[in-house]
Amino acid sequence: MIQFLLKRLIGLIFVVIGVTFITFTMGYFAPDDPIKQLLGQHYTQEAYLQLKHAYHLDLPFFQQYYNFLIGLFHLDFGYSFQSKGRPVWDILKDGVPVSIELGIWAMVVQLALGIPLGIYSAIKARTWVDTTNMVVMLIIYALPAFVLATFAQVVLVYLDISIPGLNWPVSNWGTPWQYTWSDIQYKLVPILIYGAAGFAYYARLARTSMLEVLSQDYIRTARAKGLLEHAITFRHAFRNALIPLVTVVSVSLGFLVSGAFFIEHVFNIPGIAETTLSSVGASDYPVIQATTVVLAVTVVLGNLVSDILYTVVDPRIKSE
């Protein structure tokens, strides 16, 4: 297992390097000149050349990329153009924990509600319970996250007006990784809204996967032997039904942070979304590159977690 993980880690390092090369190349050859935007009305040729030299943008392409990689291995993403020399990591360090917290709790909601509901629908297949569940899940899944978020804010504002003394916050986040009642009020609605679409998706996927397993011959054999339906469902069928779910969950882990952009924007959450979007508009390439690297690392780690979970769910993979 250790040898397998080492091979995967080495391969994943090359994936991250490939992502950085593509991102850096796109920023290097982009038509916008961030130094000119930074100077604005104060542009002079002398000031332009001085700033370009200060940011090492007058070096050849491969020299710039080499310096970027060296800095990356030291967790140094360079300096922001927009914030006039402020370190990029200093800009992102406060937003990354918030985005990760939002993503992790949304994933917990998705899995804790979606998978049991999907399995229950599979057990009750082709009944009114199954039909009702799947219709509701399809409606929730079809609604974009920003529509659900806006609707939730409207409802909260209406409740705050209708119920004296409620004052439930409609935006912001509270203190990261703290869960006083005040913090929970800030975090609960964004987490539920972010988890809603994924919860519906996992419910439908769990139902489909469970139905496929329940139709297998070994399940019929188990029933013919007189095993209890509860034992058949959870001891024999559930574990095999988890295999396709593990694939989707592990890939989704990598997109937790990037998927939160709309939610953070609508609820004015101080994650990395607003910083990234403003950096795109200002051609602040160091911040864009740093965000891309962070997202690429989360996707890569998600795939690594997927490989590990496979060995837990299916012992045959471990033996191979």
Side-chain angles (χ1 to χ4, degrees), residues 62-273:
F62 286 105
Q63 183 64 46
Q64 289 187 42
Y65 179 64
Y66 175 77
N67 293 340
F68 174 74
L69 284 182
I70 294 299
L72 185 62
F73 283 112
H74 293 87
L75 297 180
D76 179 8
F77 294 98
Y79 296 91
S80 168
F81 299 147
Q82 186 180 15
S83 299
K84 299 181 180 180
R86 185 181 175 191
V88 171
W89 183 245
D90 189 46
I91 297 173
L92 296 179
K93 69 179 182 181
D94 295 329
V96 170
V98 173
S99 297
I100 291 176
E101 183 182 17
L102 171 60
I104 287 176
W105 280 114
M107 177 64 74
V108 170
V109 170
Q110 293 170 7
L111 299 181
L113 297 180
I115 293 179
L117 184 60
I119 292 173
Y120 183 69
S121 291
I123 296 173
K124 299 291 184 179
R126 291 173 288 279
T127 66
W128 69 269
V129 174
D130 177 37
T131 303
T132 303
N133 284 343
M134 288 303 102
V135 168
V136 173
M137 292 305 101
L138 183 60
I139 293 173
I140 295 175
Y141 182 66
L143 289 174
F146 63 87
V147 173
L148 290 174
T150 305
F151 177 74
Q153 285 186 319
V154 172
V155 171
L156 286 176
V157 171
Y158 174 77
L159 292 176
D160 285 342
I161 295 173
S162 303
I163 303 176
L166 180 60
N167 295 324
W168 194 283
V170 297
S171 64
N172 220 314
W173 185 247
T175 305
W177 301 104
Q178 290 189 18
Y179 301 101
T180 63
W181 175 239
S182 176
D183 292 311
I184 291 174
Q185 285 181 300
Y186 280 108
K187 298 174 182 181
L188 182 61
V189 175
I191 288 172
L192 292 177
I193 294 300
Y194 186 26
F199 146 68
Y201 175 73
Y202 284 120
R204 292 176 60 82
L205 180 62
R207 176 186 179 274
T208 302
S209 179
M210 194 68 175
L211 282 176
E212 182 178 354
V213 172
L214 288 175
S215 64
Q216 298 297 317
D217 291 337
Y218 70 91
I219 298 295
R220 298 192 190 97
T221 303
R223 285 173 175 155
K225 289 180 177 179
L227 291 181
L228 295 176
E229 193 66 26
H230 179 82
I232 293 172
T233 300
F234 294 99
R235 186 180 303 174
H236 297 281
F238 177 63
R239 187 167 184 175
N240 288 325
L242 280 179
I243 296 176
L245 287 170
V246 166
T247 303
V248 177
V249 170
S250 302
V251 173
S252 299
L253 284 173
F255 292 99
L256 282 177
V257 178
S258 59
F261 274 30
F262 283 122
I263 302 298
E264 290 180 11
H265 186 70
V266 173
F267 285 99
N268 195 28
I269 296 173
I272 66 172

